[in-house]
């Protein structure tokens, strides 16, 4: 299925945090998917294909990513992005959701869950920022370049070279980055780096990565009884497996860690079948 065909499932909603685009497919209990920096709702396309006949699958594009624009003064802090998630749920009339999140979307999901535990039926976290691991050490050079005002100029040419962008931006997140279609890479990179102004906004997004918002909700996470599943790729250079067990020990509703052996940051895309098996099992155990 091409992205254009996938986009027949897309809708735009007006929220009190600005317009948001999301993929919305299927019927049944709502699975709400949150991506991280540099991807979009398309990250979940393979998962959605497997679940849309049994679940209503909603995958938003966070501001500046995918089809969701960003205002010139957009707040890109983790807490503000959690507000975008809440506002999107409001606009779609979603009172209860099963959240599934990856990468920086996992940090956003933790804040959303801490602030709105009554709105979650469950929480599934895959490799993501945790505690004070924001930004992770392996991503710190990019953050420092952004804070120095240099990232936009350095990264901007990648919008014109999709194969190079795939290797440089996503190569460390996949076991086999060639499995990531260039069509998807282009859809990720163009909104972030396609114009000078967007590249400056992306630079500001990266520069804003800081642990303060995540640390601020840690006491609430330590009281979170929402059923929580942690599924973690063990080959990730950004988010080591120790953080999966840290989450399990912090969140009272978390009972187990499922390890995806050798899986890297974007295993929810590359090894979607394994993630789907685990979330189906997790959701079924609660029904």
């Amino acid at each position: 299925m091409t992205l254009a065909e996938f986009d027949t499932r897309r809708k735009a909603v007006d929220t009190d945090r600005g317009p948001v685009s999301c993929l919305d497919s299927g019927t049944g209990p709502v699975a709400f998917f949150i991506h991280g920096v540099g991807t979009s709702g398309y990250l979940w396309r393979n998962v959605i294909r497997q679940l849309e006949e049994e679940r209503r699958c909603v995958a938003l594009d966070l501001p500046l990513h995918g089809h969701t624009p960003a205002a010139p003064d957009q707040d890109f802090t983790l807490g503000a992005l959690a507000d975008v998630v809440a506002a999107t749920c409001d606009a779609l009339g979603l009172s209860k959701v099963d959240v599934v999140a990856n990468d920086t979307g996992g940090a956003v999901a933790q804040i959303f869950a801490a602030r709105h535990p009554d709105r979650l039926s469950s929480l599934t976290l895959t490799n993501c920022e945790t505690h004070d691991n924001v930004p992770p050490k392996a991503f710190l050079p990019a953050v420092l370049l952004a804070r120095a005002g240099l990232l936009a100029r350095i990264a901007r040419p990648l919008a014109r070279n999709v194969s190079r962008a795939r290797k440089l931006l996503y190569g460390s997140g996949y076991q086999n980055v060639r499995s990531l279609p260039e069509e998807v890479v282009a859809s990720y990179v163009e909104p972030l780096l396609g114009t000078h102004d967007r590249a400056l906004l992306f630079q500001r997004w990266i520069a804003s990565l800081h642990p303060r918002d995540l640390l601020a909700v840690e006491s609430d996470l330590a009281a979170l009884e929402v059923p929580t599943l942690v599924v973690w790729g063990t080959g990730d250079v950004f988010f080591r497996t120790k953080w999966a067990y840290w989450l399990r020990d912090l969140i009272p509703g978390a009972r187990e860690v499922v390890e995806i052996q050798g899986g890297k940051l974007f295993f929810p895309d590359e090894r979607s079948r394994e993630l789907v098996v685990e979330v189906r099992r997790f959701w079924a155990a609660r029904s």
Side-chain angles (χ1 to χ4, degrees), residues 4-279:
E5 290 170 318
F6 213 76
D7 281 339
T8 61
R9 299 153 159 86
R10 181 174 296 282
K11 66 173 58 172
V13 294
D14 291 322
T15 81
D16 61 10
R17 299 288 169 166
V20 172
S21 182
C22 57
L23 300 168
D24 190 346
S25 178
T27 59
V30 179
F32 193 96
F33 298 93
I34 309 175
H35 68 86
V37 171
T39 57
S40 74
Y42 289 141
L43 175 77
W44 305 103
R45 67 198 182 282
N46 295 323
V47 172
I48 290 172
R49 287 189 187 113
Q50 295 169 70
L51 291 174
E52 62 186 349
E53 293 188 3
E54 61 202 74
R55 288 266 167 169
R56 179 181 175 187
C57 297
V58 177
L60 88 166
D61 291 342
L62 290 170
L64 191 64
H65 292 68
H67 292 254
T68 298
D73 60 348
Q74 188 85 39
D75 186 346
F76 294 128
T77 61
L78 296 174
L81 296 174
D83 289 339
V84 171
V85 171
T88 303
C89 288
D90 289 341
L92 292 171
L94 306 178
S95 58
K96 281 278 190 179
V97 294
D98 291 290
V99 169
V100 184
N102 174 252
D103 192 22
T104 310
V108 172
Q110 290 170 60
I111 297 170
F112 175 68
R115 292 177 176 173
H116 307 284
D118 57 314
R119 304 190 70 163
L120 273 72
S121 297
S122 73
L123 175 63
T124 297
L125 296 171
T126 67
N127 300 50
C128 62
E129 283 94 342
T130 305
H131 186 48
D132 61 356
N133 189 35
V134 186
K137 185 176 180 180
F139 196 63
L140 183 58
V143 175
L144 294 178
L145 283 172
R147 290 175 182 169
L150 300 174
L151 184 65
R153 177 163 54 85
I154 293 171
R156 175 90 169 80
L158 293 174
R160 300 187 297 273
N161 190 333
V162 174
S163 61
R164 183 168 174 78
R166 180 171 66 177
K167 179 179 179 180
L168 292 182
L169 298 181
Y170 304 101
S172 58
Y174 283 80
Q175 290 176 270
N176 175 19
V177 77
R178 292 182 180 274
S179 68
L180 176 62
E182 288 195 353
E183 178 189 28
V184 176
V185 176
S187 77
Y188 287 164
V189 174
E190 176 62 26
L192 304 176
L193 300 171
T195 69
H196 177 69
D197 288 345
R198 286 186 214 154
L200 289 176
L201 285 171
F202 182 54
Q203 178 173 271
R204 186 157 61 78
W205 174 305
I206 298 299
S208 72
L209 287 171
H210 192 282
R212 61 173 68 92
D213 284 339
L214 202 49
L215 292 173
V217 301
E218 202 155 284
S219 61
D220 296 308
L221 288 173
L224 185 67
E225 299 287 348
V226 171
T228 299
L229 173 67
V230 182
V231 188
W232 217 263
T234 64
D236 187 2
V237 300
F238 300 101
F239 307 114
R240 299 296 187 184
T241 308
K242 70 174 185 178
W243 292 113
Y245 291 92
W246 192 93
L247 281 167
R248 182 202 63 184
D249 294 342
L250 174 69
I251 300 173
R255 293 290 181 267
E256 64 175 321
V257 171
V258 176
E259 296 186 8
I260 304 298
Q261 293 300 320
K264 294 196 173 184
L265 174 59
F266 299 122
F267 84 84
D269 176 12
E270 188 174 28
R271 296 172 63 174
S272 62
R273 291 178 185 273
E274 291 165 82
L275 177 59
V276 167
V277 165
E278 296 303 333
V279 295

